Amino acid sequence: MTSHFNTKERILHAAEDLFAQHGFAGTSLRQVTSRADVNIAAVNYHFGSKENLVNEVFKHRMDDMSEKRLSALAKAVENDPNDLEGILLAFIQPALALTLDRHGGAFVRVLARAYAEKNDGLRNFLSENYGQVLREFAKAIAHCLPQLSKEELYWRMDFVAGALTYAMADFGLIKRQNGVSEKAHCEKAAQHLIRFAKAGLQA
Amino acid sequence: MTSHFNTKERILHAAEDLFAQHGFAGTSLRQVTSRADVNIAAVNYHFGSKENLVNEVFKHRMDDMSEKRLSALAKAVENDPNDLEGILLAFIQPALALTLDRHGGAFVRVLARAYAEKNDGLRNFLSENYGQVLREFAKAIAHCLPQLSKEELYWRMDFVAGALTYAMADFGLIKRQNGVSEKAHCEKAAQHLIRFAKAGLQA
DNA sequence: GTCTATAGCGAGATAGAC
DNA sequence: GTCTATCTCGCTATAGAC
């Protein structure tokens, strides 16, 4: 399976899985190279350092997700700038899509974990990129809800992002039922979340 | 400041701060004992192992917060079983109170971090205890919103818990303004969150 | 109950052959 | 570009003096 990829890609995939499972500090490069079935020295050859590997794992998925979010947002706004549900879907759908991807599912937990890491520079790097995307959505949502103050809007968007992160990472009470496919579970999650977030934003 | 406490308590407080800042795997016992100004051997004398220290740090605050939540819930329900806002406040207030505590503020991030740790046994221990408290709240909220299916209720409570965790841990777009006291910031957070969560639950 | 000292291990990183 | 071998460091944990 992994043997279709070259050394660098195998390291990236193995690291993504392990970071999701054990965190950044909790994962050793030895674990990564062992799972990727490459030599221990390869990671320093290709990435220079562990810290650099962490950043690359991140950038890879974040760039992809942000791009999908922004293009979905542009399409939704062009279609109907007052369709709050469409805008929310543009925000939620790309995150959802990740959980259906073989390796992306791990990344969702990596993402949640990164939010829990407070000072590590990774967090700053993240909030800069991710922050810009959030501001685009804020603009679109503000257009739908002109009565909302900017402060109130930002609070509520934080709540939506929190609910999304939490639900996507599969914390909490809700567990996927045995009879339900992962895809169906995620679609249900999106549907519930959009309904909830829409009502909360309109409060 | 810390010298008012004995060795064991100093270790607990130092560990709480550092776990919040660097995570569990990212914090060494040497950092802990150095900050607590106790000898490196003291932690193994008092706690046996690092893993045990992690659990104790957790149990200490969780027991306290769960107790406060449940007693506030009992009071709210006794006062008016249909007061959804009162029930939400009982859920949110004790988490809020922690962020105003000298050491509790760190714990909120420790908590968020624990949710991001998926397989480490700590997560199971947590979901068992915390899960019971959540189910009590689910019962009370279900009474206020009898038209909601159990599944829908659980989804929405997950979203509320996510929004709370995210907001409390100070992720996201919203930053405390320089002119605003921490206490005022938290009260505003609670006020916004209750409004948002109430509307979302009633959707 | 608290110290010093150290055992024993696994980490990240690198040098240099191939 | 990938390997083996190894350096150096910091970690958890413990033994034993006080």
Side-chain angles (χ1 to χ4, degrees), chain B residues 28-30 44 49-50:
Chain B
S28 72
L29 294 185
R30 293 176 126 84
N44 277 292
S49 69
K50 182 181 180 176

Side-chain angles (χ1 to χ4, degrees), chain A residues 62-87:
Chain A
M62 277 300 291
D63 287 356
D64 184 52
M65 186 170 81
S66 296
E67 198 179 302
K68 281 180 183 153
R69 278 182 162 165
L70 289 176
S71 84
L73 174 64
K75 219 177 277 182
V77 167
E78 191 192 338
N79 185 55
D80 177 0
N82 288 309
D83 178 19
L84 182 55
E85 277 191 37
I87 291 167

Side-chain angles (χ1 to χ4, degrees), chain A residues 50-199:
Chain A
K50 182 181 179 176
E51 192 183 339
N52 225 307
L53 172 61
V54 171
N55 288 341
E56 296 264 343
V57 164
F58 242 87
K59 200 168 152 37
H60 177 228
R61 296 279 177 195
M62 277 300 291
D63 287 356
D64 184 52
M65 186 170 81
S66 296
E67 198 179 302
K68 281 180 183 153
R69 278 182 162 165
L70 289 176
S71 84
L73 174 64
K75 219 177 277 182
V77 167
E78 191 192 338
N79 185 55
D80 177 0
N82 288 309
D83 178 19
L84 182 55
E85 277 191 37
I87 291 167
L88 284 172
L89 187 64
F91 186 69
I92 290 167
Q93 178 67 35
L96 261 180
L98 271 180
T99 70
L100 301 178
D101 180 282
R102 157 81 181 77
H103 293 281
F107 177 73
V108 172
R109 282 193 293 280
V110 174
L111 188 60
R113 201 176 267 277
Y115 273 107
E117 317 246 339
K118 198 78 200 303
N119 289 318
D120 290 334
L122 176 62
R123 159 118 171 95
N124 286 336
F125 158 83
L126 193 74
S127 87
E128 281 166 22
N129 289 34
Y130 203 50
Q132 180 49 34
V133 176
L134 278 181
R135 274 182 285 276
E136 290 292 327
F137 276 91
K139 231 170 54 188
I141 294 173
H143 180 265
C144 297
L145 304 169
Q147 77 285 7
L148 227 56
S149 74
K150 192 167 180 178
E151 193 203 346
E152 202 134 25
L153 172 65
Y154 274 29
W155 274 107
R156 293 185 188 180
M157 285 192 56
D158 265 8
F159 299 146
V160 174
L164 172 64
T165 304
Y166 201 82
M168 291 290 92
D170 198 23
F171 311 152
L173 286 170
I174 289 285
K175 302 272 168 264
R176 180 162 65 87
Q177 316 269 310
N178 276 343
V180 180
S181 80
E182 194 155 353
K183 193 171 176 213
H185 179 78
C186 282
E187 273 163 11
K188 192 163 265 179
Q191 174 193 320
H192 282 293
L193 181 52
I194 286 176
R195 218 167 124 73
F196 176 87
K198 189 182 170 199

Side-chain angles (χ1 to χ4, degrees), chain B residues 26-42:
Chain B
T27 301
S28 72
L29 294 185
R30 293 176 126 84
Q31 288 174 282
V32 172
T33 54
S34 158
R35 171 176 296 214
D37 203 28
V38 302
N39 189 272
I40 171 70

Side-chain angles (χ1 to χ4, degrees), chain B:
Chain B
M1 192 54 181
T2 51
S3 55
H4 300 158
F5 302 103
N6 62 25
T7 297
K8 195 169 173 178
E9 282 167 330
R10 289 217 304 279
I11 292 173
L12 276 173
H13 285 155
E16 198 167 36
D17 285 349
L18 289 166
F19 288 161
Q21 218 168 106
H22 309 294
F24 306 117
T27 301
S28 72
L29 294 185
R30 293 176 126 84
Q31 288 174 282
V32 172
T33 54
S34 158
R35 171 176 296 214
D37 203 28
V38 302
N39 189 272
I40 171 70
V43 76
N44 277 292
Y45 175 77
H46 285 289
F47 298 95
S49 69
K50 182 181 180 176
E51 191 183 340
N52 224 308
L53 172 61
V54 170
N55 288 340
E56 295 264 341
V57 164
F58 241 88
K59 201 170 152 33
H60 176 228
R61 296 279 177 195
M62 275 302 289
D63 288 356
D64 184 52
M65 187 170 81
S66 297
E67 199 180 301
K68 280 180 184 152
R69 278 181 162 166
L70 289 176
S71 83
L73 174 63
K75 218 178 277 181
V77 167
E78 191 193 336
N79 184 56
D80 177 0
N82 289 308
D83 178 19
L84 182 55
E85 276 191 35
I87 292 168
L88 284 173
L89 188 63
F91 186 69
I92 290 166
Q93 179 67 35
L96 260 181
L98 271 179
T99 70
L100 300 178
D101 180 284
R102 158 79 181 77
H103 294 281
F107 177 73
V108 173
R109 282 193 293 279
V110 175
L111 188 60
R113 201 177 268 277
Y115 274 107
E117 318 245 338
K118 198 80 200 301
N119 288 318
D120 292 332
L122 175 62
R123 157 118 172 96
N124 287 335
F125 158 82
L126 193 75
S127 89
E128 281 165 25
N129 289 35
Y130 203 51
Q132 180 50 35
V133 176
L134 277 181
R135 275 183 283 277
E136 291 292 326
F137 276 91
K139 232 171 53 187
I141 294 173
H143 180 265
C144 297
L145 304 169
Q147 77 286 5
L148 227 56
S149 73
K150 194 168 178 176
E151 194 203 347
E152 202 135 24
L153 172 65
Y154 274 27
W155 274 109
R156 293 185 189 181
M157 285 192 58
D158 264 9
F159 299 147
V160 174
L164 172 63
T165 303
Y166 201 81
M168 291 289 92
D170 199 22
F171 311 150
L173 285 170
I174 289 284
K175 302 272 169 266
R176 181 161 64 86
Q177 314 270 311
N178 277 342
V180 180
S181 80
E182 195 155 352
K183 194 173 175 211
H185 179 77
C186 283
E187 274 162 12
K188 191 164 267 180
Q191 175 193 318
H192 282 293
L193 180 53
I194 286 176
R195 216 167 126 73
F196 176 85
K198 190 182 169 199
L201 285 169
Q202 289 172 334

